[in-house]
Structure formats: structure tokens, C-alpha cells
Amino acid sequence: MSRLYRLIPALASLPLLLVSSLVMGSSASASERLQLVATTSMVADVLREVGGEQVDVRGLMGPGVDPHLYRQTRSDVTAMTRADAVFWNGLYLEAQLESFFERLGERQPVIAVGEAVPEDARLADEEYPDQYDPHVWMDPSRWRFAVEAIRDALAEMAPSHADTFTDRADAYLNELEALDTYAREVLASVPEESRVLVTAHDAFGYFGDAYGFEVLGIQGYSTDSEAGLARIESMVSLLVEREIGALFVETSVSDRNVRALVEGAAARDHEVRIGGELYSDAMGPEGSYEGTWIGMFDHNVSQIAIALGGKVPKGGRLGRLGHLEELP
């Protein structure tokens, strides 16, 4: 597959075709807002934070939408072909859109911000080392590369506002650093033997790598394949043998497999409880605190910590989380 439309960390090293597209996209009047399309809500949120009043952002995937399975609609195609640029995560997250983006990248900027994360900072599948985990937003220290890539792309498209984009990106990166500090503090309060995170699919690998949690997903990186009976049985055995007492559902993935584990463990006289709901491939409701990347991450960190026996301040880091589910 052609990689002409992929973003690599320095825009100066972009292929000539994409650089030319970026330059042409910046020819509009400086008073006009950049018209941008983002695939996931996480990417859209960063675009709005860094771009401020200089951008109009349309996000394709809202709350509860699974990007692994998402297919573009007719209105999506219209919006993307008319946009000044399209931003997506990449790393095969939006698997069903790959071929469309390859064609679209021949005529306008299509920028994979997740691929700005250096290869040596990515996690790979043990069986398929050339397939990277796409869920890079689960670790602030890695997500900062996407923020910087967005900053640089916007500055290239609208040079007259480059200072604004830099200032806003710096402020946002400071928030990422503060949130990372909070995460380390509250997650360190979880007893070591309880630092096992069992979820519907393997979306929390970077989270676990960053904060010292073992992560067990029923499905792999993608939700595009069903977990077989053998996988469910092996997971039930693991829960029972290791006496794991909590697992988590995800807002963008069916809870069917998670509840199958609960029932399977119960059949073996082992109680496993739902530790709460986490945001994995989509954020919370639009307009809510959890509908921002900062709020989404605060919720996940706080919910995981409180469900697994850690200490969490009321309402999370900023006191803005209305409800955290604590295990009885």
C-alpha cells in the first residue's frame, strides 16, 4: 500500500506531492478558517484545542462509535473531499477507510497523526511485529507526538497563525503533562497485586506500558474479529486461577464477551465484577467533560484506580467527574 499520504514527524520530509498540497491549501485568505475533517473524536478534539478560532473541525465518529469497523458515508465523502485537510489516527485503526484515504491523499492532505509516534515508541503484536498497536492516545507521553504533528501541519497550512498554534499547543501539552503526573500518583495507590486490567479488546496496551499495569484484552488490537470460544474459556481459566476480581466494559465495544467472562467465572464459583465503563476508541458525550480527551483520560485513570482499590480524589483530577463506580 502506498504511504504517500502518511505523516512523518517533520513536515519538511513529507513526500513532494503532500507538501505541494499543503502549500496550495494555505493559499486561502488568512481571515478564513481552515476547514478540517477528523476521523476519531480524539483527533478532532486536539485539532480544536490547537487550532482554536482558526479552524472549523468536523469529526466523523461520535460517542460509542468503533473506528475499527467504521465505513465512510456519502456525506463523509463529500465533507472530506471539500476539506482543506483530513486528519486521522492511522496505524490501521480506521481499517475500513485505508483504501479511500490512499486515493484521497493523491489530491489533498491526508495526515495520519498517530504515525508521528516514533517506531521505537510503538507497541507491536508479538506474532506480527510489523503491525503496531494504534491506540497511542492511551499514553500522554506518546500522544504528545500527535499533538506536535497537528501543530506543525496547521502551521504549514496557515503560516500567519503559526505562533497562535504553537502557543495553544504548548498550553495543551502542559495539560497532558499535568494529567500524566496525576495518573502516576493515583495509579500508584492501587495495590500491586491488583494492577491487572481486563477489558473487551486490547486498547490499553500503551496505558499499561506507561503505568505498570498488566493488560488483558479479550479481543486483539482490532474489534474486527470475534473472540472465539477457546479464547473465552482460556480467559475464564485465567481469571479463576489468578483470582482476578474485576474487569471493565468499553463504551465503543459490545459488552457481550465481558459478561461471558463474568458468567463463566461464576460457573466455576469465582466472582468477577464489572469495575466500570471505560472510554477506549471513542470519547464521552459531546459537550461533556468526558467528551474531551483530557476528560476521557481523567475518567479512565480515576475509574481504573478506584475500582481496583486505589485512592482517587472526589470527581477525579479536576473534580469534574460526576460519577465514578466503586466496587462494593
Side-chain angles (χ1 to χ4, degrees):
M1 178 178 291
S2 169
R3 300 292 175 182
L4 288 178
Y5 53 92
R6 303 284 191 180
L7 178 75
I8 49 183
L11 284 177
S13 59
L14 280 169
L16 180 60
L17 178 61
L18 186 49
V19 173
S20 298
S21 296
L22 285 168
V23 172
M24 288 189 296
S26 67
S27 63
S29 168
S31 64
E32 295 180 0
R33 294 186 178 188
L34 293 171
Q35 301 300 307
L36 309 174
V37 171
T39 52
T40 69
S41 52
M42 292 76 73
V43 174
D45 186 57
V46 177
L47 279 171
R48 295 186 182 107
E49 289 292 336
V50 176
E53 295 182 357
Q54 309 308 322
V55 301
D56 282 327
V57 181
R58 171 171 172 168
L60 299 185
M61 305 177 195
V65 175
D66 184 346
H68 299 282
L69 305 177
Y70 189 86
R71 294 181 182 275
Q72 70 271 20
T73 66
R74 186 171 300 178
S75 63
D76 290 344
V77 172
T78 300
M80 287 189 282
T81 55
R82 292 179 178 176
D84 293 311
V86 176
F87 291 78
W88 59 312
N89 187 81
L91 298 175
Y92 210 57
L93 177 72
E94 305 95 329
Q96 309 303 321
L97 303 179
E98 288 256 344
S99 59
F100 173 77
F101 283 150
E102 183 173 13
R103 297 191 302 272
L104 186 64
E106 296 174 358
R107 52 176 288 179
Q108 67 194 86
V110 179
I111 303 167
V113 301
E115 295 182 15
V117 176
E119 287 193 15
D120 61 3
R122 303 176 193 172
L123 298 178
D125 189 296
E126 293 182 359
E127 295 184 13
Y128 306 97
D130 60 335
Q131 294 185 11
Y132 295 108
D133 183 345
H135 305 90
V136 292
W137 62 89
M138 289 298 187
D139 173 17
S141 67
R142 289 171 167 105
W143 192 230
R144 69 177 295 116
F145 289 106
V147 176
E148 291 167 351
I150 286 173
R151 174 200 64 198
D152 294 344
L154 294 181
E156 185 77 12
M157 298 174 70
S160 62
H161 298 296
D163 289 344
T164 297
F165 299 143
T166 297
D167 290 344
R168 293 183 65 88
D170 286 347
Y172 192 68
L173 290 170
N174 287 338
E175 281 293 301
L176 262 67
E177 186 174 348
L179 188 55
D180 181 52
T181 299
Y182 167 77
R184 294 187 185 281
E185 290 175 353
V186 299
L187 293 171
S189 70
V190 175
E192 287 193 25
E193 66 274 11
S194 298
R195 295 176 192 175
V196 182
L197 185 59
V198 183
T199 58
H201 86 298
D202 200 1
F204 289 83
Y206 291 107
F207 182 97
D209 183 64
Y211 301 114
F213 277 64
E214 181 180 0
V215 177
L216 302 171
I218 303 173
Q219 292 172 269
Y221 293 156
S222 175
T223 59
D224 197 21
S225 58
E226 283 291 332
L229 183 60
R231 175 61 175 170
I232 297 294
E233 287 295 325
S234 68
M235 287 289 290
V236 168
S237 296
L238 184 147
L239 294 175
V240 174
E241 291 167 8
R242 297 182 57 181
E243 299 183 346
I244 295 173
L247 39 74
F248 297 84
V249 296
E250 302 172 33
T251 62
S252 57
V253 182
S254 169
D255 65 357
R256 181 174 64 254
N257 289 332
V258 173
R259 298 197 179 279
L261 292 189
V262 173
E263 294 171 4
R268 300 191 193 183
D269 297 322
H270 176 64
E271 182 182 6
V272 181
R273 293 165 290 184
I274 302 296
E277 190 173 54
L278 303 179
Y279 299 106
S280 55
D281 292 344
M283 302 193 306
E286 187 174 346
S288 69
Y289 177 53
E290 294 87 342
T292 67
W293 181 86
I294 294 290
M296 163 189 173
F297 198 81
D298 186 1
H299 168 90
N300 284 349
V301 166
S302 301
Q303 184 62 66
I304 289 168
I306 198 170
L308 296 181
K311 297 179 180 179
V312 178
K314 185 177 181 180
R317 173 178 165 248
L318 300 177
R320 298 183 61 183
L321 297 174
H323 179 66
L324 293 172
E325 299 178 44
E326 189 170 1
L327 289 180

